[in-house]
Amino acid sequence: MLLKILAGLLVAAVMAILLDLYNTAEVPKQHQRWQSQFPAPGAEAFNVFWVVQVTDLHISKFLHPERASDFEKFCMESIDFIKPSLILVTGDLTDSKTKDKLGSDQFEMEWQMYQTILKKSKAMEKWKWLDIRGNHDSFNIPDLQSFRNYYRKYSALRKEGSFHYIHRTPFGNYSFICVDATLTPGPKRPFNFFGILNKRQMDELSLLEKESQHSNQSVWFGHYPTSTIMSSSPGIRAVMSSATAYLCGHLHTLGGILPTIYSRHSQGTLELELGDWMDNRRYRILAFDHDLLSFADVKYDEWPVVLITNPKSALYRSSAHEPLGRMKYSTHIRILAFSRFPITSVDVELDGVFSERAVHVSGPLYVLKWNPSNYSTGLHRIEALVQDASGKINTRSHMFTLDDNVSLSFDFLSSLILLSDLYIMGQVFFVLMVVVQVGVLVAFRYLRKPALKRNPGFVSLTFFSFHVMSKTNCVYYPLLLLSLYTAVGPWFVGEIIDGHVGACFAFGVIVNGQYFQGSVTYFVGVLQLAFFNLPLMAYLCWCLLLRCQGHSFCSHVRSGRRLSSVPIHIFMFLLLIWQVFSCYFLLQTYGILSFFLSPMRTWLVLMTLFLTQRTWTLGSSELKIYIVEMKTCRSS
Ligand SMILES: *[C@@H]1O[C@H](CO)[C@@H](O)[C@H](O)[C@H]1NC(C)=O
Ligand SMILES: *[C@@H]1O[C@H](CO)[C@@H](O)[C@H](O)[C@H]1NC(C)=O
Ligand SMILES: *[C@@H]1O[C@H](CO)[C@@H](O)[C@H](O)[C@H]1NC(C)=O
Ligand SMILES: *[C@@H]1O[C@H](CO)[C@@H](O)[C@H](O)[C@H]1NC(C)=O
């Protein structure tokens, strides 16, 4: 009860802080770099370019061959209709998972499949193609020189590490900075789910940031969202604060929970996670039109694609980075429309009123004369309806504003996911759970046990069983050891990279002489505590209570009235099966050594069996006083 209230208060406090932290409304700022209101968007096919981003291809030799074949068609046809200035492929080019999906390894064949697509589509000759590594592309790589680092052999870029690419145009220079936070050496699944940027890598990024200050706009891109990067001071978000947007992937669509994950950092940088190619066939077209950013995340082979670049969406405004005032001085609405067939019409609606048909300028650009002063205050809605020669119609709409005082916020869940530090959350939950478990064990050992009331209820019986557990040495010490060990001990020792033995702790992984700070390990720890250690403790308490009520294992099994307890045994048994399965996972993933040298897995299964057996065979002498107490409070 007390725990529930405390937990409730804690959640409320955390929510209050988060709501404040994740209020992502644009803070109006006087932009220093952008006093100039000109060039303002007009009718010319100038001052505009667009790029394509695609992420998380997961090309696999075992499953879903259409992933690769669709990507091939995308490269051979779709991109030709879009003609981007640049293509960013933000990691996880290959799946690199074993056939049973448990293990991870680099397969040369998957990389060859990727390279074949590049070659067949002449992607590298036709386009500027920047393909970077994701966590899947660096599974099981002892060092970058290793032959298993196929990225070096088969990708277009073949360059690990962060870099700065400048897209030069007659109307301005545009910086694209890659953030490479993948781990070197690269441990197997799941230990590179979080990226790391050490001091040296951060210094490098700071230098790139300085270089980019001469550019009109800068966009940063990487595989990992910033919430899944552990970076040394001053932190990746501070270093990239001059960027208009950070483009990433990695989280896919969170298994369909969030089709789009976008937010804005406090300095105004947008963070735009893109859904995966793997299952969702997403890609992104991002445009700078007169230095105003706009983008559309769309699905492969769904034409026509529409992107309204002026007036841009109110949600993605950044007064710190963009010359937003230009929209007020613009003479034309500007729309990019792409299709595999000729476009037949681009119709525009403003605030629900049909405006006029936009006229074609050149390439995908369509413009329509407008009078922005009619929309100078408040929020308005623009909608573009595009039809192509095949009869297909697509519409796109957004809210826009020319008013600096109006601002919109991103949804709470997306902001929570992108703006927090997920590894710190994992760490906090883990530590809290360990402290609670150890606290309960130790507190009840030293608390004086009150006499049991007559006809005790659920709560008093629970407390009674806690007392019995903590005061019975052969249960207390193993459980205390288990919870302390979960926090400090190595969970297992095994081949975290093939041929390289390492150890896994709650607070990190050591492999190949390298220590990787804990991140995903805390989440593994939280799952372990929530779905094994704590249920085991509760189960043993319950068994002890039955013992105190005078049951032996045989009498408990035979007693017909105890049918209601069957689900409890089954539940514990299923949890044990899960634990056994994770032993199998260790065996499959990190080798036979890890199976035997795994205190938190194989040994724990044995200990659980032993502890349960011990609880049922515990000599009555140790429980005698409790048995007597139970009896008297029931019979009286
Ligand atoms: C890019 O920056 C240059 C120099 O500041 C400026 O002259 C030019 O107009 C800018 N380009 C655009 C499209 O705003
Ligand atoms: C782009 O950069 C080049 C080289 O740094 C510079 O000469 C040129 O003036 C820049 N262009 C614009 C439009 O700022
Ligand atoms: C916009 O304003 C102009 C004059 O400023 C006026 O002639 C025109 O009718 C207005 N259009 C709309 C749609 O309100
Ligand atoms: C925006 O707010 C400022 C002060 O908060 C006010 O002076 C200004 O008139 C407002 N602008 C518009 C367009 O409403």
Side-chain angles (χ1 to χ4, degrees):
M1 194 60 188
L2 193 67
L3 262 176
K4 253 192 197 163
I5 293 170
L6 278 179
L9 283 176
L10 193 76
V11 168
V14 170
M15 286 304 250
I17 296 169
L18 292 181
L19 276 172
D20 189 41
L21 212 62
Y22 299 133
N23 177 8
T24 52
E26 236 271 297
V27 185
K29 253 183 240 165
Q30 205 57 46
H31 46 82
Q32 307 87 31
R33 272 165 84 193
W34 295 112
Q35 299 302 337
S36 162
Q37 310 292 13
F38 298 97
E44 302 80 38
F46 198 57
N47 289 328
V48 59
F49 75 97
W50 52 94
V51 305
V52 159
Q53 185 197 355
V54 46
T55 192
D56 298 274
L57 312 179
H58 290 257
I59 290 174
S60 165
K61 67 184 252 195
F62 298 111
L63 27 115
H64 303 298
E66 44 326 329
R67 243 179 238 169
S69 58
D70 282 352
F71 190 64
E72 184 176 317
K73 280 186 243 157
F74 178 73
C75 296
M76 298 193 57
E77 302 168 13
S78 308
I79 296 182
D80 278 329
F81 300 122
I82 300 170
K83 297 194 172 51
S85 303
L86 181 67
I87 293 168
L88 308 171
V89 189
T90 47
D92 285 359
L93 313 174
T94 61
D95 198 40
S96 304
K97 279 209 224 167
T98 52
K99 194 171 184 186
D100 57 14
K101 294 191 192 176
L102 293 178
S104 47
D105 199 0
Q106 298 300 313
F107 299 107
E108 189 164 19
M109 190 182 157
E110 292 182 348
W111 286 96
Q112 286 166 337
M113 286 162 79
Y114 176 69
Q115 197 191 41
T116 306
I117 295 172
L118 295 188
K119 285 194 167 153
K120 263 173 102 172
S121 60
K122 298 198 169 55
M124 282 139 73
E125 297 150 44
K126 284 175 155 170
W127 319 110
K128 182 73 199 175
W129 192 277
L130 301 180
D131 51 358
I132 61 171
R133 295 181 302 156
N135 57 320
H136 283 244
D137 305 315
S138 55
F139 282 144
N140 201 19
I141 293 180
D143 57 77
L144 296 176
Q145 285 76 37
S146 159
F147 74 92
R148 282 206 296 264
N149 185 12
Y150 295 122
Y151 170 80
R152 226 174 228 198
K153 191 168 172 195
Y154 294 110
S155 69
L157 196 64
R158 303 177 181 199
K159 199 166 75 178
E160 303 92 1
S162 301
F163 63 88
H164 181 190
Y165 170 76
I166 304 177
H167 176 59
R168 295 182 195 279
T169 69
F171 49 87
N173 295 327
Y174 297 84
S175 284
F176 288 84
I177 295 179
C178 160
V179 178
D180 185 356
T182 47
L183 309 192
T184 306
K188 292 188 214 169
R189 278 189 81 217
F191 296 116
N192 66 6
F193 189 82
F194 284 74
I196 295 183
L197 292 170
N198 60 27
K199 186 85 188 73
R200 185 185 53 75
Q201 291 166 307
M202 287 301 287
D203 291 346
E204 239 171 66
L205 284 169
S206 298
L207 282 181
L208 301 183
E209 192 276 331
K210 284 220 175 62
E211 279 174 31
S212 73
Q213 283 171 4
H214 306 292
S215 296
N216 287 56
Q217 291 283 332
S218 34
V219 164
W220 289 42
F221 65 100
H223 179 65
Y224 294 98
T226 55
S227 56
T228 57
I229 297 177
M230 295 180 279
S231 51
S232 60
S233 149
I236 182 66
R237 288 165 182 154
V239 171
M240 68 163 68
S241 62
S242 65
T244 310
Y246 176 62
L247 317 177
C248 55
H250 190 46
L251 298 180
H252 298 213
T253 54
L254 284 182
I257 301 173
L258 280 178
T260 61
I261 315 178
Y262 312 138
S263 195
R264 186 198 337 265
H265 293 286
S266 54
Q267 298 93 338
T269 305
L270 291 170
E271 182 155 344
L272 309 172
E273 201 266 354
L274 171 63
D276 53 292
W277 178 270
M278 173 178 159
D279 292 326
N280 295 300
R281 302 290 189 276
R282 295 289 179 83
Y283 70 97
R284 166 177 293 158
I285 298 182
L286 177 133
F288 276 112
D289 189 0
H290 292 78
D291 286 359
L292 300 167
L293 175 140
S294 46
F295 71 97
D297 288 0
V298 293
K299 215 173 161 184
Y300 162 65
D301 219 20
E302 286 185 359
W303 303 104
V305 172
V306 194
L307 178 57
I308 304 168
T309 61
N310 183 60
K312 70 169 282 176
S313 164
L315 186 58
Y316 308 117
R317 283 160 56 101
S318 176
S319 54
H321 301 103
E322 296 171 295
L324 293 171
R326 286 180 184 180
M327 286 193 283
K328 269 186 261 183
Y329 295 88
S330 65
T331 55
H332 290 75
I333 290 168
R334 291 162 68 91
I335 294 163
L336 299 175
F338 308 87
S339 183
R340 54 181 305 161
F341 298 100
I343 302 279
T344 51
S345 68
V346 176
D347 292 332
V348 180
E349 264 186 17
L350 283 163
D351 289 334
V353 182
F354 174 71
S355 194
E356 234 175 298
R357 188 152 283 191
V359 295
H360 187 214
V361 181
S362 78
L365 182 66
Y366 289 76
V367 300
L368 171 66
K369 203 162 166 45
W370 80 321
N371 188 349
S373 58
N374 292 19
Y375 304 94
S376 59
T377 57
L379 266 179
H380 302 275
R381 190 181 137 86
I382 182 168
E383 178 168 303
L385 189 144
V386 175
Q387 184 166 21
D388 69 15
S390 76
K392 285 222 185 80
I393 295 179
N394 200 357
T395 62
R396 194 168 180 90
S397 65
H398 61 233
M399 303 304 290
F400 70 93
T401 181
L402 309 178
D403 183 345
D404 287 338
N405 292 5
V406 173
S407 71
L408 301 177
S409 285
F410 287 85
D411 73 281
F412 178 70
L413 192 56
S414 299
S415 300
L416 181 69
I417 289 164
L418 293 179
L419 307 188
S420 59
D421 287 309
L422 294 178
Y423 61 97
I424 293 183
M425 281 196 191
Q427 195 169 3
V428 168
F429 278 121
F430 179 76
V431 170
L432 273 180
M433 288 174 84
V434 170
V435 166
V436 165
Q437 193 184 13
V438 172
V440 167
L441 276 167
V442 174
F444 282 93
R445 183 152 181 102
Y446 297 104
L447 279 177
R448 212 174 54 80
K449 196 184 78 59
L452 208 49
K453 285 183 299 187
R454 232 196 272 167
N455 295 324
F458 178 76
V459 174
S460 3
L461 280 181
T462 306
F463 282 114
F464 177 81
S465 67
F466 282 174
H467 279 288
V468 177
M469 169 185 68
S470 284
K471 291 180 171 96
T472 309
N473 286 345
C474 67
V475 179
Y476 171 75
Y477 285 113
L479 282 179
L480 188 64
L481 179 73
L482 174 61
S483 47
L484 292 177
Y485 191 85
T486 310
V488 299
W491 292 346
F492 68 87
V493 171
E495 290 189 44
I496 291 181
I497 300 173
D498 279 347
H500 298 269
V501 173
C504 172
F505 298 78
F507 49 82
V509 171
I510 297 173
V511 63
N512 226 8
Q514 185 96 26
Y515 164 67
F516 294 124
Q517 192 189 334
S519 47
V520 79
T521 49
Y522 290 115
F523 289 92
V524 176
V526 166
L527 290 182
Q528 177 70 28
L529 288 166
F531 291 103
F532 199 76
N533 295 15
L534 292 174
L536 176 65
M537 183 166 111
Y539 179 73
L540 292 179
C541 276
W542 177 74
C543 294
L544 282 172
L545 190 65
L546 290 177
R547 289 300 315 279
C548 294
Q549 289 167 345
H551 285 284
S552 70
F553 191 68
C554 294
S555 73
H556 167 65
V557 168
R558 261 187 265 118
S559 125
R561 279 176 31 240
R562 286 270 156 220
L563 216 59
S564 57
S565 66
V566 170
I568 299 180
H569 291 295
I570 290 182
F571 180 65
M572 195 59 218
F573 183 69
L574 288 178
L575 292 181
L576 188 67
I577 294 285
W578 178 66
Q579 189 73 15
V580 170
F581 176 77
S582 36
C583 300
Y584 172 71
F585 173 77
L586 277 190
L587 181 68
Q588 286 292 309
T589 317
Y590 312 109
I592 189 94
L593 183 69
S594 64
F595 181 78
F596 289 109
L597 282 185
S598 58
M600 277 312 286
R601 295 282 184 243
T602 319
W603 298 9
L604 182 53
V605 169
L606 298 178
M607 181 182 133
T608 303
L609 295 175
F610 171 76
L611 255 182
T612 313
Q613 192 258 356
R614 195 82 186 83
T615 310
W616 284 107
T617 55
L618 205 58
S620 310
S621 58
E622 284 175 70
L623 295 174
K624 194 165 171 195
I625 47 165
Y626 306 116
I627 295 174
V628 170
E629 188 179 354
M630 257 313 184
K631 230 181 210 155
T632 47
C633 84
R634 271 159 145 204
S635 56
S636 57

